[in-house]
Amino acid sequence: MKKFLILAIIALSMLVSADARDIEYNMTINESGTYVLSEDMLVNYGGIRINTSNVVLDGQNHQIICNNSVGTGIYVGAYEYLIENTTIKNLKLKNWSSGIFIESNVKNVTITNCEFEDNEYFLNSGAVEQYFYLNTIHEGQLLFGPEDEDDFIMSSPKLVYNYNGKEYTYRLGNYYEGYTGTEIEDEGVYSNIYEITYEYGEGNSTLYDAYPLVSTSKNYEVLETLYPPLESEKRVLIADIFALDSKSENYVITEAPVTPTTTSSPASGGGGGRSYDSDISDEISSKVIKNFVSSATVIYGNEIDENYANQLRERVQNAEGFTISGNAVIVGGPLANGFAREYNDQFEMPISNDYPGENKGVIQVLKVQDNSGNVVKSYTIIYIAGSDRLGTQAALEYFKTLDELPEGPVMVEWTANGPVLA
């Protein structure tokens, strides 16, 4: 169960661990949960240490400031065991030797919507599977990391977000004060890669932010976070796991920096960017619909419905033995598709052999919220099905012509001239 603990500076001395290793930190977090900072912190040497797994530290846009330019603002690590699933967000770290310091035995870290100013090193990290995005980094700060310069990613998982009034599915990097790229993409990033000074041992190297932001994080409204399934225990950089045809271990990762590639398409439809996968049907004209199908698993139940599903994208998924955990498109009715049976009654217009009727199908949208884990996940399911084969075909063909995801059910009928609204 989540814990929501308010950190007031007057109470910090009561929360410090008795362990000698922790006495220089104003607070040590030893229990999993969500911790919310209630006010700014001005400290002498150490800010907050995270000493356990499954912790969310939400600064609520407060500051942790060092008054003598030494020490560490946020320290994540334990000597004797692995720490996993750490999120640090909405926090300003100022005037530290290291704004955030993360040990090498820490796995799955997200640092987002943080601001780093007047630190010697804004980040000192050896973490495995790290996301660092939508942060603001002021000038004059360095990065320190593990000896393998490709050890962690300076950008986001795939996101659904609003920028300048339009919705995109893309990745976002960070905003670097004083940096201006030569070309601006519609998605709100510079097209050229930003090089970051990176030190280790007695030498230095370079890391790359492939998606440097045009403006600060307040101009990007994240609607959904699409985490890729990072299964490898190795520290590897995967440029875009959503573009892979199979699991990451089947690919050779080179040491050279990877320049992100995208699929281009003529500008049409309402909003959206150039972020959809290459196997999406060319018959889908709207970028919004293409972006959604790119972010979703298309699920079928039998061979007929598989043929329909392949009209949306080449990579599709049989419903048998599969678990929905993100955006999905269910193709086919409840008789053939197990997920159609599971979710059928949750839609406004449940499908049966008798409804909506002969040669008729329905396109429906369902927002799902998963509260089973420590992190609440939300995703969208599109249901394309009819009372018979032609009804499903009518709904699918009409879906490909939409500009936006429909707000309510759309009933379609198959005719000699193709699909028409019923």
Side-chain angles (χ1 to χ4, degrees), residues 336-388:
N337 193 314
F339 287 111
R341 286 193 297 275
E342 179 179 348
Y343 289 99
N344 192 48
D345 290 340
Q346 298 184 43
F347 286 93
E348 184 175 338
M349 299 174 64
I351 303 299
S352 68
N353 287 341
D354 300 321
Y355 188 85
E358 184 178 2
N359 298 343
K360 293 181 180 179
V362 185
I363 304 165
Q364 300 182 80
V365 179
L366 178 67
K367 300 288 186 180
V368 177
Q369 183 167 295
D370 182 0
N371 301 301
S372 59
N374 288 330
V375 178
V376 176
K377 297 186 295 183
S378 60
Y379 47 89
T380 300
I381 297 176
I382 306 298
Y383 188 19
I384 300 174
S387 293
D388 52 26

Side-chain angles (χ1 to χ4, degrees), residues 227-299:
Y227 280 98
L230 297 176
E231 298 178 358
S232 174
E233 294 295 327
K234 298 179 181 179
R235 298 173 182 170
V236 295
L237 171 60
I238 301 173
D240 188 351
I241 198 167
F242 288 84
L244 303 182
D245 290 324
S246 60
K247 293 183 179 179
S248 59
E249 57 261 31
N250 296 319
Y251 293 79
V252 176
I253 309 301
T254 65
E255 294 183 356
V258 180
T259 302
T261 58
T262 54
T263 303
S264 61
S265 177
S268 60
R274 52 178 180 78
S275 55
Y276 42 84
D277 292 335
S278 60
D279 72 328
I280 305 302
S281 171
D282 291 335
E283 295 181 2
I284 302 175
S285 58
S286 166
K287 290 183 179 180
V288 173
I289 301 299
K290 280 191 172 183
N291 285 340
F292 180 81
V293 175
S294 180
S295 75
T297 302
V298 180
I299 305 169

Side-chain angles (χ1 to χ4, degrees), residues 22 58 95 186 212 215 234 271 291 303 315 329 345 351 359 394:
D22 304 331
D58 186 347
N95 207 35
D186 292 341
S215 55
K234 298 179 181 179
N291 285 340
E303 186 175 350
R315 287 172 288 171
V329 180
D345 290 340
I351 303 299
N359 298 343

Side-chain angles (χ1 to χ4, degrees), residues 316-335:
V316 294
Q317 174 68 50
N318 192 303
E320 185 175 355
F322 183 73
T323 300
I324 293 180
S325 59
N327 289 346
V329 180
I330 298 174
V331 178
L335 288 181

Side-chain angles (χ1 to χ4, degrees), residues 32-242:
S32 301
T34 297
Y35 295 76
V36 179
L37 200 65
S38 63
E39 58 184 312
D40 294 346
M41 293 173 57
L42 178 64
V43 296
N44 291 325
Y45 183 77
I48 298 174
R49 174 171 179 171
I50 298 174
N51 197 41
T52 189
S53 295
N54 302 312
V55 168
V56 176
L57 177 59
D58 186 347
Q60 293 285 291
N61 298 316
H62 291 294
Q63 304 181 77
I64 301 180
I65 306 171
C66 182
N67 62 11
N68 57 16
S69 301
V70 297
T72 299
I74 304 292
Y75 176 84
V76 185
Y79 295 110
E80 65 276 12
Y81 52 84
L82 175 71
I83 290 179
E84 299 182 271
N85 306 324
T86 303
T87 296
I88 301 168
K89 62 182 181 179
N90 306 324
L91 183 64
K92 183 173 183 178
L93 293 140
K94 184 175 181 179
N95 207 35
W96 295 97
S97 177
S98 293
I100 296 179
F101 188 106
I102 306 174
E103 294 285 5
S104 59
N105 61 341
V106 177
K107 180 179 178 181
N108 191 6
V109 177
T110 295
I111 301 169
T112 184
N113 282 300
C114 291
E115 183 177 358
F116 300 85
E117 183 178 4
D118 294 333
N119 304 292
E120 183 179 4
Y121 298 93
F122 66 90
L123 178 65
N124 185 333
S125 176
V128 181
E129 300 176 10
Q130 174 171 285
Y131 289 107
F132 186 90
Y133 65 100
L134 283 173
N135 301 294
T136 296
I137 296 96
H138 292 259
E139 295 179 277
Q141 301 174 93
L142 301 174
L143 172 69
F144 194 100
E147 293 185 3
D148 180 352
E149 65 184 72
D150 284 342
D151 252 4
F152 57 90
I153 304 171
M154 297 298 291
S155 61
S156 67
K158 212 168 190 182
L159 303 172
V160 181
Y161 64 95
N162 281 328
Y163 176 74
N164 277 347
K166 294 184 178 180
E167 183 176 306
Y168 299 94
T169 302
Y170 204 53
R171 296 186 189 274
L172 296 174
N174 303 278
Y175 177 75
Y176 300 91
E177 184 187 54
Y179 171 70
T180 302
T182 57
E183 183 179 348
I184 298 175
E185 305 291 350
D186 292 341
E187 294 85 356
V189 303
Y190 291 113
S191 60
N192 45 312
I193 294 174
Y194 181 76
E195 298 184 2
I196 306 165
T197 301
Y198 176 96
E199 296 189 357
Y200 66 88
E202 297 180 355
N204 59 70
S205 187
T206 305
L207 264 181
Y208 302 89
D209 191 329
Y211 308 91
L213 301 183
V214 172
S215 55
T216 56
S217 62
K218 65 182 180 181
N219 297 293
Y220 304 79
E221 180 190 5
V222 176
L223 305 176
E224 187 174 0
T225 303
L226 307 173
Y227 280 98
L230 297 176
E231 298 178 358
S232 174
E233 294 295 327
K234 298 179 181 179
R235 298 173 182 170
V236 295
L237 171 60
I238 301 173
D240 188 351
I241 198 167
F242 288 84

